[in-house]
Amino acid sequence: MRVVVLGGTEFIGRRVVERLVGRHDEVVVVHRGRTEPEDLPDCGHLHVDRRDFAEVADRVRGFAPDAVVDSYALTRADADSVLPHLPDVPLVLLSSVDVYRVWELLLADDDTPLPAPVTEDAPLRRGRFPYRGQGTGLDDYDKLDVEPAYLARGGTVLRLGMVYGRHDQQRREEFVLRRVRAGRARIPVGAGDALITRLHVDDAAGAVLAALDRPESARGELFNLGESVTYPVRGWLRLILDAAGHDAELVRVPDERVPDDLWLTRRLAQHVLVDSGKAGRLLGWRPTDPATAVARSVRWHLDHPPPDAPADFTADDRALAG
């Protein structure tokens, strides 16, 4: 199979490229050229900003791809700049479960939660641009502006849970691992009973391959993707600690004394639990056992600590005081 991957040099896109090349597909990665890891598998590259995609459209068509995977369409402009220039082949878009109303309620800590789990026809967010004004550089981000254009082309939309694993720039386990590195014996947490569906990066990439391999089942469809079993946040922390071989005590403290970086352990009104059954039925996709997936991720992140990791971590002492 000949596949064009848009934005395939970081995290999820990178893992998709690795899996495609690993099974001997021919791959061309279209990206800005600002991030090109030395250990990225050998494949073709086209360097261009998305807004200038028309400049390389002839070269993309000349590659004669069998499919296109867009791993980094974040805004309406991102979609509009590439879709008119793509050949008429199967399209796979990486999206997010943050399109659902439940994600909006989680961030708002609304006390009128919706039932879980969430299927693909669940209510979508009422508000727009969920991360605007938060200093993340994602003011115009909204997958609700991206998905319709791909679906109109018969594309496949994969709504991913909270993705973690190697090369995760957000380092989703770091709030625990920084305390492991500091040798913490006690970690302050809240109730930790929220259910928030996660997804290992290998399983995200596996779903992309499954969609490519079953285009007749994937065309024009939405799929939720998440782990097979979702542990409450407190259980997730325990999986991380077990994988790190660190026997810390999770100390229950009032929510107002939970450190900011451990906010997910506070009592949250809304679960973000997604049902991935459709992907299993139509695509034959099956995620890795969560304990195995977390262990794989933790090992990588312990071996590759962030460059600015503190030698010690003391911010949670205040929460344990008294």
Side-chain angles (χ1 to χ4, degrees):
M1 182 179 292
R2 300 164 68 86
V3 184
V4 169
V5 179
L6 307 182
T9 62
E10 294 185 297
F11 195 29
I12 307 172
R14 173 177 178 155
R15 190 62 182 132
V16 170
V17 170
E18 291 170 346
R19 291 286 300 274
L20 288 169
V21 173
R23 68 177 199 175
H24 307 296
D25 290 323
E26 295 184 60
V27 179
V28 168
V29 182
V30 183
H31 61 106
R32 294 173 297 180
R34 298 178 187 175
T35 304
E36 196 162 321
E38 293 182 359
D39 58 347
L40 195 70
D42 186 26
C43 61
H45 290 261
L46 289 176
H47 293 162
V48 70
D49 192 285
R50 288 186 73 105
R51 60 189 171 186
D52 301 319
F53 185 83
E55 297 177 4
V56 299
D58 287 345
R59 296 173 67 183
V60 169
R61 286 191 289 267
F63 176 63
D66 298 301
V68 175
V69 177
D70 195 338
S71 71
Y72 207 68
L74 307 183
T75 68
R76 184 187 301 274
D78 287 345
D80 291 345
S81 63
V82 302
L83 279 175
H85 308 289
L86 294 179
D88 186 18
V89 297
L91 306 176
V92 177
L93 170 72
L94 299 190
S95 187
S96 169
V97 298
D98 70 13
V99 299
Y100 290 116
R101 173 71 171 153
V102 292
W103 185 261
E104 187 172 39
L105 295 176
L106 172 72
L107 296 183
D109 198 18
D110 194 290
D111 61 0
T112 55
L114 293 177
V118 169
T119 59
E120 287 80 0
D121 59 357
L124 301 178
R125 271 189 283 106
R126 298 174 184 172
R128 306 304 303 277
F129 311 111
Y131 310 116
R132 178 166 285 181
Q134 298 182 14
T136 61
L138 297 174
D139 282 0
D140 295 327
Y141 166 95
D142 199 328
K143 290 291 187 177
L144 290 176
D145 279 341
V146 179
E147 290 185 355
Y150 282 79
L151 291 170
R153 284 278 302 265
T156 303
V157 173
L158 304 180
R159 291 174 172 166
L160 311 181
M162 186 185 292
V163 185
Y164 66 97
R166 59 177 179 160
H167 300 296
D168 173 16
Q169 304 99 316
Q170 297 189 55
R171 294 185 175 266
R172 297 186 189 275
E173 297 128 335
E174 183 62 20
F175 67 151
V176 179
L177 296 184
R178 64 171 61 127
R179 291 170 168 89
V180 169
R181 296 189 192 96
R184 275 305 162 85
R186 307 177 80 214
I187 299 174
V189 297
D193 54 1
L195 296 169
I196 302 175
T197 297
R198 291 166 285 274
L199 179 69
H200 192 274
V201 65
D202 286 355
D203 293 325
V208 172
L209 269 60
L212 294 176
D213 291 343
R214 297 194 181 187
E216 70 288 346
S217 299
R219 180 176 174 81
E221 295 286 351
L222 294 161
F223 295 99
N224 289 338
L225 298 175
E227 57 204 343
S228 57
V229 176
T230 295
Y231 288 77
V233 169
R234 190 183 183 101
W236 176 40
L237 267 61
R238 180 51 60 190
L239 285 180
I240 296 171
L241 290 169
D242 289 349
H246 190 71
D247 189 24
E249 178 186 2
L250 299 177
V251 180
R252 176 70 185 273
V253 300
D255 278 358
E256 62 270 18
R257 291 171 57 193
V258 171
D260 287 345
D261 67 324
L262 288 165
W263 73 272
L264 277 176
T265 72
R266 296 170 183 158
R267 185 171 295 282
L268 303 173
Q270 180 64 61
H271 296 304
V272 182
L273 183 67
V274 302
D275 182 339
S276 305
K278 180 179 177 181
R281 293 189 300 272
L282 296 188
L283 303 181
W285 175 79
R286 296 289 184 274
T288 307
D289 170 73
T292 300
V294 169
R296 188 184 307 161
S297 178
V298 167
R299 285 193 297 269
W300 189 91
H301 284 286
L302 286 176
D303 290 341
H304 301 83
D308 57 348
D312 192 13
F313 190 80
T314 59
D316 57 3
D317 283 348
R318 293 187 301 276
L320 288 172

